[in-house]
């Protein structure tokens, strides 16, 4: 027997689907932003005890959270302007501190895989829980929006200059993630590629909202 529903019921189900789609955008954006913060926290945990000597003194002067933010952008291949950290020294030039730390300790090369892994997992999770009639691409785009927003905001926060002089660096130096690379790579390219890859992997496992028909009495 064909499934015949009256216009009121169809309208009600359409409204429910519209709310579910809106919730997907909100949830996906929130989870995408959270993925950036989780990655930042993991980087902070990985590098907080890696510095010794002059580098440790400079990291304390700059602020450990700020150094961790710069290094997380380094994991997106974004160079830091004005300063580069090595394990025991500070170099007054632009560069990738994570690459220099990883050159001394090869286990840190895994940190370069952290942003792609987080974005793939996040995109997959959001796509898997999307409503059945919502295209998987929306799940990837929702994740992208959240990651993009937090990456741009945190770039601005990480560009705030530390107070006082930093040992081993000229006093007129300005420290920050390179803004063009930060926007182009960390905020756009990485989430656009890896969040969509994750969403594509989760496209065949969409959440099927229970039908109201099963609840109706005969």
């Amino acid at each position: 027997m064909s499934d015949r529903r009256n216009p009121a019921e169809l309208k009600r189900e359409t409204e429910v689907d519209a709310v579910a789609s809106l919730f997907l955008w909100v949830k996906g954006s929130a989870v995408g932003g959270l993925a950036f913060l989780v990655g930042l926290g993991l980087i902070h945990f990985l590098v907080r005890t890696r510095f010794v000597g002059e580098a440790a003194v400079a990291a304390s002067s700059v602020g450990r959270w700020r150094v961790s933010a710069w290094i997380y952008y380094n994991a997106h291949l974004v160079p830091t302007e004005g300063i580069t950290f090595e394990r025991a020294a500070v170099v007054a030039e632009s560069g990738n501190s994570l690459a220099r730390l990883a050159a001394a300790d090869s286990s840190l090369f895994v940190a370069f895989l952290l942003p792609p892994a987080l974005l793939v997992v996040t995109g997959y999770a959001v796509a898997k829980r999307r409503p059945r009639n919502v295209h998987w691409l929306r799940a990837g785009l929702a994740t992208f929006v959240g990651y993009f927003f937090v990456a741009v905001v945190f770039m601005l926060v990480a560009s705030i200059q530390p107070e006082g002089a930093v040992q081993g660096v000229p006093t007129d130096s300005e420290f920050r993630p390179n803004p063009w690379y930060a926007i182009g790579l960390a905020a756009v390219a990485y989430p656009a590629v890896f969040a969509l890859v994750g969403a594509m992997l989760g496209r065949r496992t969409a959440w099927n909202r229970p039908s109201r028909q099963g609840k109706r009495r005969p």
Side-chain angles (χ1 to χ4, degrees), residues 37 40 51 88 101 124 151 169 174-175:
L37 297 177
L40 177 61
F51 302 113
L101 291 171
Y124 177 87
V169 182
E174 184 176 356
F175 318 126

Side-chain angles (χ1 to χ4, degrees), residues 102-185:
D105 183 356
S106 59
S107 66
L108 285 176
F109 277 113
V110 72
F112 285 103
L113 301 177
L114 188 58
L118 285 170
L119 283 164
V120 169
V121 170
T122 303
Y124 177 87
V126 175
K128 185 177 180 180
R129 295 291 295 177
R130 78 188 191 281
R132 177 69 63 178
N133 62 338
V134 175
H135 197 275
W136 63 267
L137 187 60
R138 291 190 184 182
L141 290 175
T143 306
F144 166 86
V145 168
Y147 201 91
F148 172 88
F149 178 77
V150 177
V152 171
V153 169
F154 222 91
M155 178 201 70
L156 298 175
V157 173
S159 298
I160 298 174
Q161 298 304 296
E163 297 180 0
V166 178
Q167 183 175 339
V169 182
T171 55
D172 60 346
S173 297
E174 184 176 356
F175 318 126
R176 63 178 182 177
N178 181 288
W180 299 111
Y181 281 95
I183 294 173
L185 290 174

Side-chain angles (χ1 to χ4, degrees), residues 42-147:
L42 291 174
I43 285 292
H44 180 73
F45 177 78
L46 285 174
V47 304
R48 61 179 179 173
T49 60
R50 301 285 177 169
F51 302 113
V52 297
E54 181 187 49
V57 174
S60 297
S61 300
V62 170
R64 296 275 180 175
W65 70 268
R66 189 179 280 111
V67 175
S68 296
W70 294 343
I71 292 177
Y72 190 54
Y73 282 100
N74 292 162
H76 296 79
L77 307 181
V78 177
T80 305
E81 294 184 345
I83 190 171
T84 304
F85 283 85
E86 297 178 349
R87 176 170 170 75
V90 176
V91 182
E93 62 182 30
S94 300
N96 191 310
S97 299
L98 180 58
R100 297 203 181 200
L101 291 171
D105 183 356
S106 59
S107 66
L108 285 176
F109 277 113
V110 72
F112 285 103
L113 301 177
L114 188 58
L118 285 170
L119 283 164
V120 169
V121 170
T122 303
Y124 177 87
V126 175
K128 185 177 180 180
R129 295 291 295 177
R130 78 188 191 281
R132 177 69 63 178
N133 62 338
V134 175
H135 197 275
W136 63 267
L137 187 60
R138 291 190 184 182
L141 290 175
T143 306
F144 166 86
V145 168
Y147 201 91

